[in-house]
Amino acid sequence: MSYNITELKEEHWDRLLQFFKEFKEEKHPFFKIQEVVGLDKDVIFDGKKQRFIVLDGDDVIGYCFYYQYKMAEVTCSIGYGILERYKGRGISDLIIGKLHSHAILNGYRQFVACVASNNWRNVIVLYKHGYRVTDEDTGILYFCKRPA
């Protein structure tokens, strides 16, 4: 199976909304963040984050992004989610590879992420990609990957 990770464009809007509808039905913790921020088209396409979608054919099966972390010029925060039925297929590895390579081309050298502490799949993936826990809060692990 071949998956395509492509930059999010306005032409993808309806398919992105369909993805988030299904994602929300899975009660994924990531969606709580989107409920706070909202799924406003102007916010999604504000240019402040580099956003991508993961496609299986024409179907959006994942969403990912990175953005400058606080005031740290060379540090970016990454985030991603994929539909439950696609987990366990190595897509998270593809996503992190895409985010890292794109961010490095844009001058970022350090990466941070936060994950629900019970989301063992993402914890394993982040460790596999060189991330280490730097802090934790109730139910959340904070990760960092520093340059080698």
Side-chain angles (χ1 to χ4, degrees):
M1 192 77 31
S2 178
Y3 304 104
N4 182 28
I5 302 173
T6 186
E7 211 163 322
L8 178 64
K9 297 183 177 147
E10 289 198 40
E11 65 198 49
H12 302 126
W13 180 246
D14 290 336
R15 290 186 286 166
L16 180 67
L17 288 178
Q18 182 60 38
F19 164 78
F20 276 128
K21 180 179 182 244
E22 188 171 341
F23 207 53
K24 183 177 182 180
E25 289 168 1
E26 292 176 357
K27 299 185 180 0
H28 194 282
F30 173 84
F31 201 88
K32 291 178 184 174
I33 296 167
Q34 290 302 317
E35 285 182 323
V36 172
V37 173
L39 288 174
D40 184 287
K41 195 172 186 178
D42 292 333
V43 172
I44 295 291
F45 295 103
D46 65 4
K48 294 180 181 176
K49 293 181 181 179
Q50 295 292 319
R51 300 172 193 268
F52 303 88
I53 54 174
V54 183
L55 298 168
D56 179 12
D58 287 335
D59 296 329
V60 175
I61 61 158
Y63 171 72
C64 56
F65 59 86
Y66 73 87
Y67 60 92
Q68 182 175 331
Y69 181 70
K70 298 186 180 179
M71 300 302 288
E73 290 181 18
V74 297
T75 303
C76 70
S77 179
I78 68 164
Y80 66 92
I82 58 175
L83 296 176
E84 190 67 36
R85 69 180 180 274
Y86 284 90
K87 292 183 178 177
R89 301 182 189 193
I91 299 170
S92 295
D93 292 320
L94 296 173
I95 289 171
I96 289 178
K98 175 72 170 190
L99 293 175
H100 284 177
S101 61
H102 199 277
I104 287 168
L105 287 173
N106 285 292
Y108 293 103
R109 298 289 174 261
Q110 183 167 277
F111 303 90
V112 296
C114 63
V115 174
S117 57
N118 64 351
N119 188 342
W120 58 269
R121 283 182 169 156
N122 279 350
V123 170
I124 290 169
V125 168
L126 290 173
Y127 267 105
K128 188 165 87 173
H129 284 273
Y131 284 77
R132 297 298 174 253
V133 174
T134 57
D135 200 3
E136 58 184 289
D137 200 351
T138 307
I140 300 174
L141 297 174
Y142 297 91
F143 288 84
C144 182
K145 177 180 179 171
R146 294 184 170 85

